[in-house]
């Protein structure tokens, strides 16, 4: 695991975009495709906006990139809360992606639980039984959650399913998420966490006693291929 501390966010975003480009080239050269799972939130949004600029977009073979999501609020794709909507508006609508390579984490007319099983099948069709993503982008909440793996929820105990859906009572909505076992299969994981509000949780995740029920990001293996991008405010 590698931790990089940046003195400003512009440098962090640029390095994250550079990482996406570099990994896409390596994966496409090796396997003729680049399969990713993306997160929502403010930090990924800035990274996506950068990737959509000519400086970066021209370096990526977009027709060979497959897009999945790490997690999603169970809301329609045109809802302001939709991670997929944000990704389309900032990136996917601006670059020449093959629409058949985009797999939003929502579908009308089905239950979230049923779609979680369907989404797992879609991942299996693309990645096979191994289920190894080339790249997963994660964030971290102030409470130490990542994806929709929130403190104290039963999804943290999942060992078999690749995708799970459940009702998150504090938010009064369903969430659908990749599980820790699937995320940990990924060849490359980038975790972006910055700002004063993340300082306590990040310190516990990296240096504290192992307690993933309280700090779910600890479920992500600190292995080779996992990178943390953070800033001086969060590292302290």
């Amino acid at each position: 695991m590698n931790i990089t501390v940046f003195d400003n966010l512009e440098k962090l975003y640029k390095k994250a975009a550079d990482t996406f480009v570099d990994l896409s080239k390596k994966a496409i050269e090796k396997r003729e495709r680049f399969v990713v799972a993306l997160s929502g939130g403010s930090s990924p949004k800035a990274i996506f906006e950068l990737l959509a600029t000519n400086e970066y977009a021209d370096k990526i073979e977009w027709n060979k990139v497959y897009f999945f999501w790490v997690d999603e609020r169970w809301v329609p794709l045109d809802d302001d809360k939709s991670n997929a909507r944000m990704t389309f508006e900032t990136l996917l609508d601006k670059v020449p992606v093959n629409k058949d390579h985009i797999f939003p984490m929502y579908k009308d007319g089905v239950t979230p639980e049923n779609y979680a099983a369907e989404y797992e099948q879609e991942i299996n069709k693309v990645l096979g039984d191994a289920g190894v993503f080339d790249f997963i982008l994660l964030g971290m909440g102030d409470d130490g959650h990542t994806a929709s793996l929130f403190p104290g929820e039963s999804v943290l105990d999942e060992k078999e399913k690749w995708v799970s859906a459940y009702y998150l009572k504090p938010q009064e909505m369903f969430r659908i998420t990749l599980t820790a076992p699937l995320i940990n299969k990924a060849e490359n994981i980038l975790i972006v966490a910055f700002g004063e509000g993340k300082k306590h949780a990040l310190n516990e995740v990296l240096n504290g006693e192992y307690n993933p029920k309280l700090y779910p990001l600890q479920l992500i293996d600190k292995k080779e291929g996992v990178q943390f991008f953070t800033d001086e405010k969060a590292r302290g």
Side-chain angles (χ1 to χ4, degrees):
M1 183 184 71
N2 184 51
I3 302 171
T4 306
V5 182
F6 296 85
D7 58 14
N8 69 68
L9 295 183
E10 287 71 24
K11 291 179 181 178
L12 186 155
Y13 298 144
K14 188 175 188 303
K15 184 61 176 177
D18 289 339
T19 298
F20 188 97
V21 171
D22 291 343
L23 292 177
S24 75
K25 290 180 177 179
K26 290 176 181 177
I28 291 169
E29 181 179 350
K30 188 175 181 179
R31 291 181 288 273
E32 277 298 306
R33 66 181 187 180
F34 183 47
V35 187
V36 306
L38 303 178
S39 292
S42 58
S43 49
K45 180 180 180 181
I47 297 168
F48 300 158
E49 288 173 340
L50 198 53
L51 287 171
T53 64
N54 291 338
E55 178 183 359
Y56 286 95
D58 293 344
K59 299 177 182 178
I60 298 168
E61 294 185 75
W62 293 105
N63 63 324
K64 296 181 180 178
V65 185
Y66 290 71
F67 291 93
F68 291 87
W69 273 261
V70 169
D71 74 316
E72 185 63 275
R73 303 172 184 88
W74 190 250
V75 295
L77 297 177
D78 59 357
D79 192 289
D80 288 341
K81 298 184 182 70
S82 169
N83 288 336
R85 173 178 173 170
M86 182 274 287
T87 311
F88 274 99
E89 291 177 347
T90 56
L91 178 62
L92 299 182
D93 286 340
K94 299 182 178 182
V95 294
V97 178
N98 185 330
K99 301 304 181 184
D100 291 335
H101 293 176
I102 302 174
F103 302 89
M105 227 175 198
Y106 177 83
K107 185 178 181 180
D108 287 326
V110 297
T111 66
E113 293 90 348
N114 285 344
Y115 193 61
E118 187 176 325
Y119 203 76
E120 183 169 321
Q121 292 173 359
E122 293 293 344
I123 294 172
N124 186 271
K125 287 178 184 177
V126 175
L127 294 177
D129 292 338
V132 178
F133 280 93
D134 294 308
F135 175 72
I136 292 181
L137 176 63
L138 295 175
M140 184 194 74
D142 292 355
D143 59 358
H145 86 268
T146 192
S148 284
L149 307 176
F150 285 89
E153 298 295 332
S154 60
V155 68
L156 302 178
D157 298 320
E158 183 58 56
K159 298 293 190 293
E160 301 297 331
K161 291 180 181 178
W162 287 1
V163 186
S164 183
Y166 69 99
Y167 189 76
L168 185 60
K169 289 182 180 179
Q171 295 185 4
E172 298 183 340
M173 66 164 51
F174 279 94
R175 308 281 301 219
I176 182 169
T177 185
L178 304 187
T179 63
L182 179 63
I183 293 171
N184 280 323
K185 291 173 179 282
E187 191 167 314
N188 299 279
I189 299 173
L190 173 58
I191 303 165
V192 177
F194 56 80
E196 185 72 28
K198 308 293 176 71
K199 183 176 179 180
H200 174 74
L202 185 60
N203 181 62
E204 291 296 327
V205 167
L206 296 175
N207 307 311
E209 181 180 345
Y210 186 70
N211 186 1
K213 278 289 189 180
L214 190 57
Y215 300 103
L217 186 56
Q218 289 183 331
L219 289 171
I220 306 308
D221 296 337
K222 298 173 182 176
K223 62 180 183 178
E224 184 179 355
V226 176
Q227 297 187 75
F228 272 88
F229 284 3
T230 185
D231 68 348
E232 295 169 350
K233 292 181 179 179
R235 284 296 280 161

